[in-house]
Amino acid sequence: MSAGARARTAALLAAAAVVLGGCGSSGSGGGDNSGGGGGAAPKLEGRGPITFATGKDTSGNMQKLVDQWNTDHPDEKVTITELPEAADEQRNRMIQNAQVESAEYSVLNLDVIWTAEFAANRWIVALPQDQFDLDKFLKPAVDTAMYRDKMYAMPVYSDGGLLYYRKDLLTKAGVSEPPKTWAEMKTACDKVKALPEAKSIGCYAGQFDKYEGLTVNFSEAVQSAGGTVVDDSGKPTVNSQQAKDGLNFLVDGLKSGEIPKAAITYQEEPGRRAFQDGQLLFHRQWPYQWAKANATDGSSKVAGKFDVAPLPGKDGPGVSTLGGHNFAISAFAPNKATALDFIKFFSSEEAERSNLLATSQAPTRSALYDEAALKEKFPYLPTLKASIDNAAPRPKVVKYGDVTAAIQEAAYSAMTGDKPTDQALSDLQTKLEELTKQ
Ligand code: GLC
């Protein structure tokens, strides 16, 4: 089928779905391509081979689950298409494909922040909410998959920021508790650096390269100083003292050397390698690092030597930015019935448990956080659950790409000394006001 024909079929299916749904929910404008939220299921048809476009399969467990699916579904085989490592580049690839209505990607592993943009542009189709037991999933994760009260994706992995710390070094330096504030973190680091073996250790790092990870880390710094990037009504709020304190935590850290210079280039993976190489005392990172840094095959120098704690903040515990990944179905791909079943399989309890065991990523199924055997193997689970429950979502806007680019620009220019903090934030406030204007 040509791309044009496929698009017409998709449009017809979408129109049919609206009819089947009875009516679009009121207030849901041009972006609709399905029936009402919890109501009649939009019909997803066609069975056969599909592809699954996703970021790097760092553990190999995705392929394992796909192999399992393929054994059970010889006529509906799934092929993984691996996308680049950075979130922004994954988004670019997916958008390029969608803009030419390419059928190359069937199931999309979407970052939680892209739902609005992909749904409003009709690049993904609405999912039949009544076929998913959403009550069994973490509510913050479910919220990221909804757009205008309809479900457009299924939350498969969640993510919450954690403070990884070298327990061995803290203990040796006489620090018995992980820090709850930035000031305590600095004091603890000074004590550890007085140990001969840790003289040159970096105090703290996160993801500070100019990409989505910087938006996450900037937002966390602002939130952890008591501020917000946008308020509950969606209004930008970065012209505040709290935002200034948050950004200055990063700016001053780089200036003083507590944050090593190299950290300005860190995405998740380079930072993880630095931590597991013993170069960092404290590291803000997602839960997937737990399994990697605990590997006992010689790849990590810190296996068994670290623990995790809630993120610290200015005057008390910090507030994570909500991360995670949702699976959606491309509007332009054939075999949508297969795609739907594949998503159900990946979000099944069995698949989520297998993923947790192999990767230490955050499940979206609440029950897994309470399973005794899992809690024993992954003692950080309660801390992670709290991080996710208290996390702040990033702005839920259709123009998310422009919003995140503006945040990255502002944070990076202040952190590299190109702009004073005040100037960077007031420019950002103006930019965000423009971008979020209704
Ligand atoms: C992780 C998170 C995702 C976030 C990205 C930033 O993959 O799950 O939500 O946007 O990191 O690098």
Side-chain angles (χ1 to χ4, degrees):
M1 206 193 293
S2 72
R6 259 190 312 272
R8 280 192 296 281
T9 312
L12 278 175
L13 280 176
V18 172
V19 173
L20 281 176
C23 58
S25 60
S26 60
S28 47
D32 283 346
N33 60 4
S34 82
K43 221 162 168 38
L44 300 176
E45 289 176 326
R47 293 197 169 272
I50 59 168
T51 61
F52 171 41
T54 178
K56 222 173 167 40
D57 179 14
T58 43
S59 69
N61 198 60
M62 255 179 194
Q63 187 62 57
K64 221 173 95 189
L65 286 170
V66 166
D67 290 345
Q68 190 181 323
W69 164 276
N70 286 345
T71 307
D72 295 343
H73 302 83
D75 299 326
E76 296 173 89
K77 285 208 168 135
V78 175
T79 310
I80 292 186
T81 305
E82 224 176 66
L83 302 176
E85 209 166 280
D88 313 56
E89 290 169 40
Q90 294 167 21
R91 173 176 166 275
N92 288 344
R93 286 280 187 91
M94 290 184 188
I95 291 181
Q96 281 160 5
N97 256 274
Q99 281 171 337
V100 297
E101 302 186 355
S102 159
E104 203 174 316
Y105 302 159
S106 318
V107 172
L108 305 175
N109 185 352
L110 293 186
D111 199 317
V112 289
I113 49 212
W114 303 332
T115 311
E117 182 178 28
F118 277 66
N121 283 294
R122 304 180 186 214
W123 295 330
I124 53 177
V125 296
L127 299 183
Q129 188 172 328
D130 51 0
Q131 293 180 38
F132 293 88
D133 223 347
L134 292 183
D135 287 352
K136 296 211 160 104
F137 292 78
L138 301 176
K139 184 161 182 324
V142 170
D143 286 347
T144 66
M146 311 298 283
Y147 178 66
R148 295 191 166 173
D149 295 332
K150 292 197 181 90
M151 178 190 183
Y152 280 90
M154 181 61 200
V156 175
Y157 316 117
S158 189
D159 243 346
L162 299 168
L163 183 72
Y164 286 73
Y165 65 95
R166 289 286 301 280
K167 197 172 179 164
D168 57 333
L169 295 176
L170 286 193
T171 307
K172 204 152 180 206
V175 183
S176 55
E177 295 283 327
K180 290 194 180 58
T181 63
W182 295 332
E184 283 175 21
M185 188 155 81
K186 182 173 174 359
T187 310
C189 188
D190 289 343
K191 288 189 181 160
V192 166
K193 276 167 102 59
L195 301 170
E197 71 266 42
K199 267 201 323 282
S200 54
I201 199 162
C203 285
Y204 175 75
Q207 294 74 45
F208 305 142
D209 189 14
K210 197 175 180 189
Y211 79 118
E212 188 58 37
L214 183 56
T215 297
V216 167
N217 280 258
F218 164 80
S219 308
E220 270 170 7
V222 172
Q223 290 147 199
S224 300
T228 50
V229 176
V230 293
D231 67 14
D232 288 344
S233 68
K235 203 176 123 340
T237 47
V238 290
N239 54 352
S240 68
Q241 182 60 41
Q242 292 90 332
K244 189 172 166 180
D245 292 343
L247 182 51
N248 275 340
F249 160 64
L250 300 174
V251 171
D252 295 345
L254 277 158
K255 246 190 234 156
S256 69
E258 272 163 78
I259 298 179
K261 289 222 162 13
I264 199 74
T265 65
Y266 285 175
Q267 299 192 358
E268 280 81 1
E269 284 291 85
R272 171 180 73 76
R273 286 191 283 269
F275 183 75
Q276 47 180 69
D277 202 35
Q279 295 170 25
L280 295 169
L281 176 60
F282 297 111
H283 188 209
R284 181 269 171 226
Q285 181 63 287
W286 306 109
Y288 88 100
Q289 179 167 282
W290 175 276
K292 295 258 171 210
N294 265 324
T296 49
D297 60 358
S299 59
S300 173
K301 292 187 185 154
V302 302
K305 295 182 178 169
F306 68 89
D307 208 341
V308 299
L311 297 175
K314 183 169 171 280
D315 303 312
V319 178
S320 172
T321 295
L322 182 64
H325 291 262
N326 302 332
F327 288 12
I329 301 179
S330 159
F332 312 108
N335 301 331
K336 291 189 173 59
T338 298
L340 179 63
D341 282 354
F342 177 69
I343 293 178
K344 288 181 186 165
F345 163 73
F346 242 85
S347 55
S348 66
E349 192 168 304
E350 182 205 347
E352 288 216 7
R353 185 181 294 105
S354 142
N355 187 63
L356 170 59
L357 288 168
T359 69
S360 72
Q361 277 177 315
T364 49
R365 285 186 171 267
S366 326
L368 295 178
Y369 290 84
D370 299 326
E371 250 177 52
L374 291 176
K375 278 209 284 203
E376 203 183 311
K377 189 162 162 54
F378 301 111
Y380 66 85
L381 279 177
T383 308
L384 174 59
K385 173 97 176 354
S387 170
I388 294 170
D389 283 343
N390 300 327
R394 279 162 277 176
K396 222 175 171 179
V397 288
V398 174
K399 286 190 190 157
Y400 185 77
D402 296 337
V403 166
T404 188
I407 296 175
Q408 293 167 31
E409 178 61 38
Y412 198 80
S413 66
M415 288 163 74
T416 51
D418 277 356
K419 260 189 202 176
T421 300
D422 279 335
Q423 183 68 47
L425 289 175
S426 80
D427 291 354
L428 178 60
Q429 177 72 15
T430 308
K431 193 92 217 237
L432 290 180
E433 280 172 9
E434 265 165 46
L435 290 169
T436 54
K437 218 169 26 210
Q438 289 302 323

